[in-house]
Amino acid sequence: SSGINAEYGNKEKAVAGISTFTISFLFLHYLSYLSTGGNWSYIQSVYGFILTVPDYTPNIGAAWYFFSEMFSHFTVLFLSVYQLNLLLYSVPLSLKFPSSPPLVIFSLFMVMALFKPYTCVGDYVVPYAMLPLWLHLFKYLQQFYVIVTATVVLTLLWPVLWYLWVHCLNANSNFYFAVTLAFVLFQSFLLSDILYAKMRRDYAMKNGTEVKKIDGEDTVVTLN
């Protein structure tokens, strides 16, 4: 009986959350429609611009270089695959960590920052502001100091290479893109490291932290 009530309560909360989001989303669009004088063209300027990626102005993401170097007849295919990355991870993350919604939200914010076509520093502000929530996972991290060092160094290299490329003309786009690609790579390492640390902590909470012995030898735990 209690299990049925809990399941019903979870479904009720899910329906309420989806309904609240839908109503708020439609209401904000209606306000945008009124503020533009009854014109829906803002949808193309806001959503269409991000989805179609018509502008390849360099930014701190990797999409601008990726699409500028691509053959035009492959653009639609690779653009569709690239944009799907923003949706593909939501379901597996929700299924893997059903009892940790904040961790799923953090992961999705990080994925959006990694794959957003027009990435800016503000896209990383929210996931980085959420990092203190995972202080209890830090002792399980394996690459934290490497990631922090690389992030600081690459952040300092951004304006330097931008200045050399755009203002001094002593470098080219490959130097700047190398920094952006390395930054994206290390941020993906940070995300995977935190998720793996969560799995390691859950295992330790369930099975204990003492090393078990088999035939007198220490066992090595491998999480799949």
Side-chain angles (χ1 to χ4, degrees):
S1 177
S2 59
I4 296 176
N5 291 334
E7 183 178 356
Y8 178 78
N10 292 333
K11 290 182 179 180
E12 192 176 39
K13 291 179 181 179
V15 172
I18 294 174
S19 301
T20 302
F21 170 79
T22 303
I23 294 173
S24 303
F25 183 77
L26 295 176
F27 178 70
L28 290 174
H29 270 291
Y30 181 68
L31 291 180
S32 300
Y33 171 76
L34 295 179
S35 64
T36 55
N39 193 336
W40 293 104
S41 61
Y42 75 91
I43 294 180
Q44 171 61 29
S45 301
V46 176
Y47 299 104
F49 190 82
I50 295 177
L51 293 175
T52 58
V53 194
D55 186 7
Y56 300 147
T57 300
N59 52 64
I60 64 174
W64 64 272
Y65 190 90
F66 179 73
F67 289 112
S68 64
E69 296 294 326
M70 186 182 302
F71 293 111
S72 58
H73 50 281
F74 289 128
T75 301
V76 176
L77 173 62
F78 283 93
L79 181 60
S80 302
V81 174
Y82 188 88
Q83 297 287 13
L84 280 176
N85 280 282
L86 298 175
L87 300 175
L88 290 178
Y89 300 101
S90 57
V91 175
L93 285 172
S94 300
L95 294 177
K96 182 62 179 178
F97 305 103
S99 60
S100 304
L103 181 63
V104 175
I105 293 173
F106 163 80
S107 302
L108 293 179
F109 273 127
M110 185 64 81
V111 169
M112 285 189 287
L114 293 174
F115 289 100
K116 187 177 179 181
Y118 302 104
T119 311
C120 64
V121 176
D123 293 314
Y124 289 99
V125 169
V126 175
Y128 267 76
M130 296 179 69
L131 283 179
L133 294 175
W134 324 123
L135 289 177
H136 59 287
L137 300 178
F138 277 24
K139 68 177 181 179
Y140 296 98
L141 297 177
Q142 297 179 325
Q143 307 171 4
F144 183 72
Y145 295 107
V146 176
I147 293 172
V148 170
T149 303
T151 299
V152 173
V153 171
L154 293 171
T155 302
L156 295 176
L157 284 176
W158 261 335
V160 174
L161 293 180
W162 176 266
Y163 181 79
L164 290 175
W165 174 30
V166 176
H167 298 279
C168 297
L169 302 179
N170 291 328
N172 55 46
S173 60
N174 294 323
F175 293 91
Y176 183 79
F177 174 68
V179 174
T180 61
L181 186 61
F183 184 85
V184 170
L185 182 64
F186 278 101
Q187 301 318 299
S188 64
F189 286 164
L190 174 62
L191 175 58
S192 61
D193 207 13
I194 289 178
L195 294 178
Y196 186 68
K198 168 64 175 173
M199 295 170 61
R200 293 182 63 195
R201 183 179 184 273
D202 289 345
Y203 181 89
M205 295 291 290
K206 181 179 180 181
N207 300 281
T209 56
E210 295 183 0
V211 178
K212 296 179 175 59
K213 293 182 178 293
I214 298 179
D215 297 332
E217 297 183 358
D218 294 342
T219 57
V220 178
V221 178
T222 302
L223 300 179
N224 295 322

